[in-house]
């Protein structure tokens, strides 16, 4: 899709809760070990929210940083989109709380559910609005408090996830002069609906004593199936985004932080120099919709993103869903 108005990423920000949870914490109540977790996932620690802390508060912290970086006020925002599967409440949207916190009284606000692809889905949606001239400043967020939705009796999944939030402000490239979005893609395969799911709590199986006792309100993951899908998907998204450009033009690939081994296998298939791949899963685990913007923000603040070079973002998750973006910084 060719943009009518080229769109830029004017500012990025992120937030991770203060509470650090090392792998050893799980050894106290699960048949697992730090060694297994590090070797199979690359995760050494993750962040969990404190009592009383929630998704909208993390969104606000990340949003304020992104808006400072973009030099934008709340009143200037036309829209706020939050990608999350762990909202404060089933309804209304987290985006409405972000609106209040930022004084963004002119913004249309909604959340979207695209799991780990949430941030990219929000970004691609925002890009389309701005490209079409229907909005000028949009705040997009990916944020999760998965620590409240993981099953701490399931050693195959609970060790994977962490909490956090990431944000970006999009505007016409002519207004910000950086982060030009050159190409994007979104896709889905609903045949994989049950690969990653929270089976109860919706209209199909509303909450009952039985669903709570069966622990069906927690996240269920078929890890091996995700593994195969993820290696292939990172590789195909990066190839698609890079088409027509060379590896020399590229300064950073920011993949969804799903598992260190998955990222490494995909990178090996692609022949990308490993130092161009942004990985912070060792410190944050898999933060779902927050993972790409958290890693992008780190890459920007550590100077790994170079002016006029290309950045590729690649995410995938429940749905199944996936999304990619090519940005010239
Ligand atoms: O963002 C989307 C959501 N993310 C994902 O779905 C994650 C994608 N998948 C993965 O990261 C990996 O598949 C896992 C890390 C979840 C699992 O690693 P694996 O190498 O695929 O292991 P496995 O599932 O094949 O299990 C191997 C063994 C099993 O024991 P047996 O049957 O061989 O005796 C598991 O029960 O490892 C056991 N195991 C554990 N052992 C110690 C599973 N979890 C643990 C654990 N500690 N935490």
């Amino acid at each position: 899709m060719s943009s009518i108005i080229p769109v830029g990423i004017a500012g990025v920000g992120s937030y991770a809760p203060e509470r650090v949870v090392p792998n050893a914490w799980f050894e106290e109540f699960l048949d697992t070990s730090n060694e297994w977790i590090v070797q199979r996932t690359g995760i050494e620690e993750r962040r969990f929210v404190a009592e009383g802390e929630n998704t909208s508060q993390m969104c606000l912290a990340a949003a304020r940083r992104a808006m400072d970086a973009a030099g934008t006020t709340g009143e200037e925002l036309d829209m706020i989109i939050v990608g999350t599967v762990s909202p404060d409440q089933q309804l209304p949207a987290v985006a409405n709380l972000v609106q209040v916190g930022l004084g963004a009284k002119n913004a249309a606000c909604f959340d979207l559910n695209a799991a780990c692809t949430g941030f990219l889905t929000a970004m691609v949606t925002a890009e389309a609005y701005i490209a079409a001239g229907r909005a000028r400043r949009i705040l997009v967020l990916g944020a999760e408090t998965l620590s409240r939705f993981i099953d701490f009796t399931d050693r195959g999944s609970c060790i994977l996830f962490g909490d956090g939030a990431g944000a970006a402000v999009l505007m016409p490239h002519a207004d910000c002069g950086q982060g030009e979005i050159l190409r994007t893609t979104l896709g889905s395969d609903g045949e994989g609906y049950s690969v990653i799911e929270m089976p109860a709590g919706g209209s199909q199986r509303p909450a009952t004593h039985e669903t709570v006792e069966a622990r069906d309100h927690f996240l269920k993951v078929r890890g091996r199936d995700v593994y195969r899908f993820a290696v292939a998907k990172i590789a195909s998204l990066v190839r698609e985004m890079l088409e027509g450009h060379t590896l020399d033009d590229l300064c950073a690939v920011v993949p969804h932080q799903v598992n260190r081994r998955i990222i490494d296998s995909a990178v090996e298939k692609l022949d990308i120099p490993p130092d161009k791949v942004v990985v912070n899963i060792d410190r944050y685990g898999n933060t779902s919709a927050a993972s790409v913007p958290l890693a992008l923000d780190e890459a920007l603040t550590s100077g790994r993103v170079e002016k006029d070079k290309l950045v590729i973002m690649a995410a995938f998750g429940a749905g199944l869903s996936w999304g990619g973006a090519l940005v010239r910084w």
Side-chain angles (χ1 to χ4, degrees):
M1 193 184 75
S2 64
S3 300
I4 302 163
I5 299 171
V7 178
I9 301 176
V12 175
S14 64
Y15 172 83
E18 278 175 23
R19 183 181 162 208
V20 177
V21 179
N23 293 338
W25 183 77
F26 293 88
E27 293 174 356
E28 289 167 22
F29 58 92
L30 270 181
D31 180 12
T32 190
S33 64
N34 174 51
E35 196 186 15
W36 190 96
I37 300 170
V38 171
Q39 199 249 321
R40 298 288 180 124
T41 70
I43 299 167
E44 292 177 17
E45 60 189 35
R46 72 287 291 138
R47 305 292 184 94
F48 283 169
V49 287
E51 194 71 32
E53 198 175 14
N54 57 33
T55 302
S56 65
Q57 290 164 0
M58 291 195 293
C59 280
L60 270 172
R64 288 194 174 111
R65 290 172 184 170
M67 288 170 62
D68 279 351
T72 304
T73 65
E75 283 193 12
E76 287 172 327
L77 294 174
D78 299 316
M79 192 175 278
I80 300 171
I81 313 175
V82 181
T84 187
V85 292
S86 45
D88 292 19
Q89 302 183 173
Q90 178 99 0
L91 88 157
V94 171
N96 292 99
L97 292 171
V98 177
Q99 172 181 37
V100 173
L102 297 176
K105 59 183 187 202
N106 301 310
C109 300
F110 63 95
D111 292 357
L112 59 81
N113 176 338
C116 306
T117 318
F119 176 78
L120 271 160
T121 308
M123 198 181 96
V124 173
T125 305
E127 189 227 356
Y129 265 92
I130 297 170
R134 305 214 26 203
R136 285 193 75 79
R137 277 170 171 63
I138 302 184
L139 172 67
V140 295
L141 293 123
E144 305 286 6
T145 312
L146 287 180
S147 61
R148 302 245 162 82
F149 296 90
I150 50 188
D151 183 350
F152 285 103
T153 66
D154 176 11
R155 67 177 182 170
S157 65
C158 72
I159 51 96
L160 297 171
F161 299 100
D163 300 335
V169 176
L170 270 56
M171 60 176 74
H173 182 251
D175 292 359
C176 65
Q178 65 161 39
E180 184 178 1
I181 300 173
L182 300 179
R183 180 181 288 160
T184 60
T185 186
L186 290 178
S188 306
D189 177 9
E191 297 293 337
Y193 188 77
S194 60
V195 171
I196 308 165
E197 62 175 345
M198 280 183 211
S203 59
Q204 161 88 356
R205 292 179 63 209
T208 62
H209 289 293
E210 287 71 30
T211 60
V212 171
E213 270 159 29
R215 312 185 74 74
D216 281 345
H217 296 268
F218 292 121
L219 193 61
K220 316 267 180 207
V221 176
R222 297 203 324 246
R224 279 268 125 202
D225 292 337
V226 177
Y227 202 104
R228 274 187 294 273
F229 161 71
V231 172
K233 196 42 86 180
I234 296 180
S236 67
L237 281 169
V238 172
R239 271 196 207 101
E240 186 184 339
M241 290 301 102
L242 199 58
E243 212 181 299
H245 300 275
T246 67
L247 284 177
D248 289 342
D249 300 329
L250 188 69
C251 64
V253 175
V254 185
H256 171 42
Q257 305 292 306
V258 58
N259 178 321
R260 172 99 223 191
R261 281 159 60 219
I262 292 176
I263 296 170
D264 288 348
S265 309
V267 168
E268 211 171 289
K269 275 177 193 280
L270 290 160
D271 269 342
I272 293 179
D275 64 338
K276 291 194 174 180
V277 182
V278 181
V279 178
N280 64 5
I281 190 170
D282 50 328
R283 284 166 291 124
Y284 298 107
N286 174 350
T287 57
S288 184
S291 115
V292 166
L294 255 175
L296 175 65
D297 193 28
E298 275 203 6
L300 282 161
T301 48
S302 66
R304 290 180 70 177
V305 175
E306 297 160 48
K307 184 89 185 128
D308 293 327
K309 290 269 189 180
L310 300 176
V311 175
I312 291 177
M313 295 177 234
F316 42 85
L320 298 166
S321 62
W322 58 87
L326 175 73
V327 180
R328 187 189 305 283
W329 223 273

